[in-house]
């Protein structure tokens, strides 16, 4: 929706509100015209229903406002003596239009000093539930969001079965673009699997100031720029259009920030011609070919002691493919009795599946490529356009055409382009088994969701719940995601604090 369309929609809502409440305003001792003044009418309504003025602000917070509308409908009915279970249900299921009936067809009496405590168990339950949802939605949208690791692309750093808290405020929380959606779920309703949102209308969105900028090697959660189920190397070209904030959540490690020149040489990332130094917690994995003298490899040792989780496959006689192995584990494989050679598999052949799909590059030897920075200008020609076409059109909303060997942006000839936002290069630590920027290119800053900060729960999906004690990864509970050194679990400290609190609370109550 355009700004003008939103303005018209906003005015229509004011008319709907006025027509349904002007008599109730008069019965509450106010003037009928006060129900017609945008924003002011909401402030006055809060006074009528005896609720704090700051509630008005919640009516303008996307998603939260959908819940607040229900709260205000119920509170309005109660303020005019309609506080039975039947009244509450009618107020909710009619989307507030039950208030029209009260306004025009009933001699309702305004309860100026009514109790703010619900008089029925149903009403009390609904009130408590709605406010719990409001608070949880605010936290989910602007502070912390739960997230689970679905794939092995960051294996060894983040494992399948890790459940994280993702900070929205580190890089700055975004306001939602999707105006109508179920709170605290992403793109689908759990168990049912159907859409949790309406694609229309879409709101203008902005980002609050963050505590820090994205740095190289940060692990970042972001909305996948290419939407759901689309793969450049998928010949069916399946594609599902989603609103920006409802696109699939991905988590990768940022390897290049805005303004960097990035290249990959034999699997190693170089930034501005210098090899990128990875943090200690990062465990980059590569594919290896292992040849033995005919000896049988000990599968238990490989999978458990070496923690090689992506599988080992026989590809020829006495020859095995290790899909994803750290350099440290590869060194230990070389020491196994009967192993003749361990060779890192490095791609050397051109692969058109990698972005921008017209270069002689592959996932292990790539670039150099410039990562766009807001305010910086690049020359546009037939060589550079494949790199930046999607940024100019899809991410920054311009019309781009090629006519007679010339490039036109918004119907004007263009020989260069100035970027409107920063972009980033995201890759998985599990290099052979990660679909990342090498395949679909840059991640715009407006797609960034947040920074994983804390692992609160972790389970091994390969073990049954009958082995619950072993299935829970106790050493990963309450671990921080970033930081120096190896991950450390703070779970025992949490338990000590929890026991201490219950002990303190028990003796405090006994003294009373």
């Amino acid at each position: 929706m355009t700004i003008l369309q939103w303005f018209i929609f906003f005015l229509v809502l004011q008319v709907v509100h006025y027509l349904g409440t002007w008599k109730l305003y008069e019965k509450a001792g106010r003037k009928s015209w006060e129900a017609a003044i945008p924003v002011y009418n909401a402030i006055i309504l809060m006074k009528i229903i005896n609720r704090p003025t700051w509630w008005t602000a919640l009516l303008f917070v996307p998603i939260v406002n959908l819940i607040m509308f229900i709260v205000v409908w119920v509170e309005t009915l109660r303020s005019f003596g309609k506080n039975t279970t039947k009244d509450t249900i009618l107020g909710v299921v009619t989307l507030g239009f039950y208030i029209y009936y009260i306004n025009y067809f009933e001699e309702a009496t305004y309860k100026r000093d009514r109790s703010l405590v619900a008089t029925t168990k149903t009403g009390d339950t609904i009130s408590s539930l709605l406010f719990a949802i409001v608070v949880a939605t605010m936290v989910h949208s602007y502070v912390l969001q739960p997230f689970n690791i679905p794939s092995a692309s960051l294996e060894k750093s983040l494992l399948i079965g890790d459940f994280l808290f993702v900070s929205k405020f580190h890089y700055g929380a975004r306001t939602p673009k999707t105006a109508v959606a179920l709170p605290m779920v992403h793109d689908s309703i759990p168990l049912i699997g159907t859409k949790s949102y309406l694609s229309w209308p879409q709101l203008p969105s902005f980002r609050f100031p963050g505590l820090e900028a994205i740095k190289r090697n940060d692990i970042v959660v972001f909305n996948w720029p290419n939407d759901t189920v689309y793969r450049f190397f998928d010949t069916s070209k399946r594609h599902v259009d989603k609103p920006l904030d409802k696109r699939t959540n991905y988590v990768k490690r940022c390897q290049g920030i805005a303004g960097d020149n990035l290249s990959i040489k034999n699997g190693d990332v170089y930034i501005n011609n210098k090899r990128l130094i990875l943090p200690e917690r990062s465990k980059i994995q590569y594919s290896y070919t292992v040849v033995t003298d005919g000896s049988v490899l000990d599968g238990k040792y490989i999978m458990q002691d070496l923690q090689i989780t992506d599988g080992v496959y026989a590809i020829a006689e006495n020859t095995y493919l290790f899909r994803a192995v750290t350099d440290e584990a590869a060194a230990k494989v070389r020491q196994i009795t009967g192993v003749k050679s361990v060779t890192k598999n490095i791609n050397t052949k051109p692969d058109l599946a990698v972005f921008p799909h017209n270069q002689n590059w592959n996932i292990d030897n790539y670039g150099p490529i410039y990562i766009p920075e807001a305010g910086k200008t690049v020359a546009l020609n037939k060589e550079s356009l494949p790199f930046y076409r999607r940024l100019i059109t899809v991410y920054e909303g311009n019309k781009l055409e090629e006519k007679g060997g010339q490039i036109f942006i918004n119907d004007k000839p263009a020989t260069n382009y100035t970027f409107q936002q920063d972009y980033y290069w995201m890759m998985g630590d599990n290099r052979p088994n990660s679909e990342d920027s090498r395949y679909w290119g840059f991640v715009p800053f407006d797609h960034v969701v947040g920074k994983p900060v804390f692992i609160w729960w972790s389970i091994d999906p390969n073990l049954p719940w009958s082995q619950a004690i072993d299935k829970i990864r106790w050493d990963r509970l309450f671990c921080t995601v970033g930081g120096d050194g190896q991950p450390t679990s703070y779970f025992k400290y949490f338990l000590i604090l929890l026991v201490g609190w219950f002990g303190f609370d028990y003796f405090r109550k006994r003294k009373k």
Side-chain angles (χ1 to χ4, degrees), residues 10-29:
F10 180 69
L11 290 182
V12 169
L13 286 182
Q14 306 310 307
V15 172
V16 170
H17 175 76
Y18 172 76
L19 293 176
T21 60
W22 65 273
K23 281 190 175 183
L24 299 181
Y25 273 68
E26 288 184 339
K27 290 178 180 180

Side-chain angles (χ1 to χ4, degrees), residues 59 61 63-73 129-131 133-135 137 181-184:
L59 297 175
V61 178
I63 307 303
V64 171
N65 57 6
L66 301 179
I67 308 164
M68 287 303 300
F69 291 152
I70 299 174
V71 173
V72 171
W73 298 336
L129 182 61
L130 287 174
F131 274 103
I133 294 173
V134 166
V135 173
T137 302
L182 287 180
M184 295 179 297

Side-chain angles (χ1 to χ4, degrees), residues 412-474:
K412 296 180 180 179
T415 57
N416 54 54
Y417 181 77
T418 302
F419 297 102
Q420 300 171 23
Q421 63 176 317
D422 289 334
Y423 292 83
Y424 299 88
W425 194 263
M426 306 291 185
M427 290 172 57
D429 291 352
N430 192 342
R431 293 292 163 76
N433 304 310
S434 172
E435 185 177 333
D436 50 39
S437 285
R438 293 172 296 175
Y439 291 102
W440 34 257
F442 310 104
V443 175
F445 185 49
D446 64 6
H447 283 56
V448 171
V449 174
K451 179 177 183 176
V453 292
F454 197 66
I455 300 171
W456 61 274
W457 182 250
S458 185
I459 56 172
D460 186 342
N462 297 314
L463 292 177
W465 276 108
S466 58
Q467 302 178 37
I469 298 299
D470 295 326
K471 186 177 181 69
I472 299 171
R473 301 182 180 120
W474 299 98

Side-chain angles (χ1 to χ4, degrees), residues 153 224-226 230-234 237 250 252 262 264 323 347 350-358 361-364 366 369 386 390 395 425-428 430-443:
S153 68
W224 188 21
N226 280 335
Y230 178 76
R231 304 290 193 276
F232 277 114
F233 44 82
D234 181 355
K237 298 297 182 185
Y250 262 38
K252 304 288 180 185
L262 177 142
I264 304 173
R323 289 188 62 202
N347 288 272
D351 183 358
L352 293 181
V354 302
F355 178 83
H357 321 295
N358 65 349
W361 299 347
N362 58 56
I363 62 172
D364 293 324
Y366 189 98
I369 187 170
R390 185 173 177 85
Y395 305 150
W425 194 263
M426 306 291 185
M427 290 172 57
N430 192 342
R431 293 292 163 76
N433 304 310
S434 172
E435 185 177 333
D436 50 39
S437 285
R438 293 172 296 175
Y439 291 102
W440 34 257
F442 310 104
V443 175

Side-chain angles (χ1 to χ4, degrees), residues 34-46:
E34 291 181 298
I37 309 300
V39 183
Y40 176 74
N41 55 10
I43 294 173
I44 297 302
L45 184 59
M46 295 308 139

